[in-house]
Amino acid sequence: MSKKHKHDDGLSGKEYAKELKKLHVELVKLQEWVKAEGIKICIVFEGRDGAGKGGVIKAITERVSPRVFRVVALPAPTERELSQMYIQRYVPHFPAAGEVVIFDRSWYNRAGVERVMGFTDDATADKFLQQVPLVEKAMIDSGIILFKFWLEVSPEEQTRRLEDRITDGRKTWKLSPMDLKSYNRWYDYSRARDKMFAATDTDFAPWNVAISDDKEKARLNIITHLLSKIPYVEIPREEPVLPARQEPGDYVEPDYDYNFVPEKF
């Protein structure tokens, strides 16, 4: 990736919150349109370790309904799943009408981590790359709106973020043994990414690349781009009005010894 990102013009926290709030309003409008029209949307997030996929997904989903926006982050396959056709474990998670499904990593594991870390051989990975455009074309032909995002982070910023996961007790869970093993294989991942793009960056399912050294800007840019590519409209609704609260009548608060949570703050 040749495009560089400058850090000297970052957004302030207040600016970021203001812009994200606007986008959250639009995401709610999108949600209501998806429900009303029975739309099916599938969003794939891929990228290097520490590229910020989780932060983008959280920014998208934090103000919408989890019953509409469903996040899928599959664990390692079981013995049974290993014996299945590769794409089979992902198909049950594809969106039904009225759903937006977000994959935090996806079937593209085969083109990335599995190839680089030796969990699959090159011949199998290459065969996958030949087949996956056919699967994605079938998804689109079935009515699914498919988006694929690749988050690209610089080696310097990746190092900073992974070191932060080591020292910050809130983030240690994010650093897996696989992250440590794959850290020194930067260019192996670059080669795998390049092969993946060459085979699967199609007219009907293109890859959208976001430079994510500035995480806040990347989140805003991705959500803005996503919204711009979906022809949603605001669904009219009546403005709700709170009804009058009932009178207490003969109700009396009981003299009960509640076990209250201690108020330390």
Side-chain angles (χ1 to χ4, degrees), residues 29 66 81 89 91 155 176 189 230 240 252 254 260:
K29 292 178 185 178
E81 288 170 334
R89 71 190 297 246
V91 173
S176 69
Y189 273 99
I230 304 174
V252 178
F260 286 108

Side-chain angles (χ1 to χ4, degrees), residues 19-115:
E19 295 302 321
L20 187 58
K21 183 178 180 179
K22 294 177 186 176
L23 293 174
H24 282 158
V25 171
E26 294 304 315
L27 285 168
V28 170
K29 292 178 185 178
L30 171 65
Q31 169 183 276
E32 298 308 300
W33 176 74
V34 165
K35 287 164 50 181
E37 300 296 331
I39 305 300
K40 299 179 290 186
I41 299 176
C42 181
I43 308 170
V44 169
F45 282 103
E46 294 287 346
R48 300 178 187 273
D49 296 326
K53 297 179 293 297
V56 174
I57 293 170
K58 183 178 179 181
I60 292 172
T61 59
E62 63 183 339
R63 296 293 182 176
V64 291
S65 170
R67 291 184 292 274
V68 178
F69 281 75
R70 196 157 48 82
V71 178
V72 177
L74 296 184
T78 64
E79 287 296 321
R80 181 175 184 275
E81 288 170 334
L82 286 171
S83 70
Q84 295 175 339
M85 184 174 70
Y86 177 71
I87 196 70
Q88 191 171 339
R89 71 190 297 246
Y90 296 97
V91 173
H93 300 280
F94 287 177
E99 290 184 340
V100 179
V101 172
I102 300 174
F103 281 93
D104 184 356
R105 294 199 182 276
S106 66
W107 47 94
Y108 281 102
N109 276 344
R110 173 136 296 177
V113 63
E114 289 190 14
R115 182 198 286 270

Side-chain angles (χ1 to χ4, degrees), residues 2-3 7 17 34 70 90 97 102 106 111 127 129 156 192 208 234:
S2 59
K3 186 175 181 180
H7 268 288
V34 165
R70 196 157 48 82
Y90 296 97
I102 300 174
S106 66
K127 186 68 174 178
L129 291 176
E156 297 80 13
N208 301 276
E234 185 172 0

Side-chain angles (χ1 to χ4, degrees), residues 108-129 185 188-189 191-193 195-196:
Y108 281 102
N109 276 344
R110 173 136 296 177
V113 63
E114 289 190 14
R115 182 198 286 270
V116 173
M117 300 307 296
F119 298 139
T120 194
D121 56 52
D122 284 341
T124 302
D126 289 340
K127 186 68 174 178
F128 162 79
L129 291 176
R185 301 189 181 184
D188 288 341
Y189 273 99
R191 294 184 185 94
R193 177 203 62 201
K195 288 184 178 181
M196 182 187 78

